[in-house]
Amino acid sequence: MTDDTLVDANVLIDVATDDPHWSYWSAAALVRAGEGGRLVINPIVYAEVSIAFDKIEDLDVLLPEAIFHRQDLPWEAAFLAGKAFRIYRRRGGTRSLPLPDFYIGAHAAIRSYRLLTRDAARFRTYFPTLDLITP
């Protein structure tokens, strides 16, 4: 297992929006995770966080490449996301397309990254081997 951490969008949005309930926990968790290895984001996380910004330059201030290693989604992760989504549908899930969380969880699982998130339930259910950093 690597000490690198894939960061879920909800943690970054907490910091970007100075969420009154979660910003302190999220900022502190980012610092701790960054002390032990790289902080990683992928295009899905970047897209989710971008919703809070009008200009790409402002988003890039929050997510500087010197701190947040940008990584493409591995093909193997896309496959694993599809398998997890199939389980979700068989268990009665109603969405017709794979959710971003499936891609994020699969990316972390394929690369053996820890996952920093506040959304533990879905990741524990569909990616039970993930090392999660959660509140």
Side-chain angles (χ1 to χ4, degrees):
M1 169 140 333
T2 178
D3 288 332
D4 293 344
T5 302
L6 184 63
V7 182
D8 197 4
N10 54 32
V11 172
L12 298 169
I13 292 169
D14 291 343
V15 174
T17 62
D18 197 24
D19 181 274
H21 184 74
W22 289 109
S23 63
Y24 179 80
W25 181 89
S26 293
L30 278 168
V31 169
R32 283 190 306 275
E35 290 172 348
R38 295 182 306 170
L39 298 174
V40 179
I41 60 172
N42 63 32
I44 294 168
V45 170
Y46 190 89
E48 287 184 323
V49 177
S50 76
I51 294 168
F53 294 87
D54 292 327
K55 298 188 306 187
I56 194 170
E57 295 82 4
D58 295 336
L59 176 58
D60 287 340
V61 167
L62 175 73
L63 302 174
E65 291 184 56
I67 296 173
F68 293 94
H69 176 74
R70 296 177 185 195
Q71 192 172 80
D72 291 333
L73 183 70
W75 288 100
E76 300 88 351
F79 182 83
L80 181 57
K83 301 304 120 205
F85 182 72
R86 183 172 62 189
I87 293 167
Y88 161 82
R89 290 287 296 191
R90 287 182 178 163
R91 291 179 176 171
T94 59
R95 303 272 179 124
S96 60
L97 296 173
L99 302 169
D101 287 345
F102 289 110
Y103 292 108
I104 292 166
H107 185 177
I110 289 295
R111 294 286 189 242
S112 298
Y113 294 152
R114 298 175 299 179
L115 180 62
L116 174 57
T117 184
R118 284 192 296 98
D119 185 15
R122 181 171 294 143
F123 292 113
R124 282 195 180 110
T125 299
Y126 296 101
F127 302 96
T129 62
L130 275 180
D131 181 11
L132 298 178
I133 302 169
T134 61

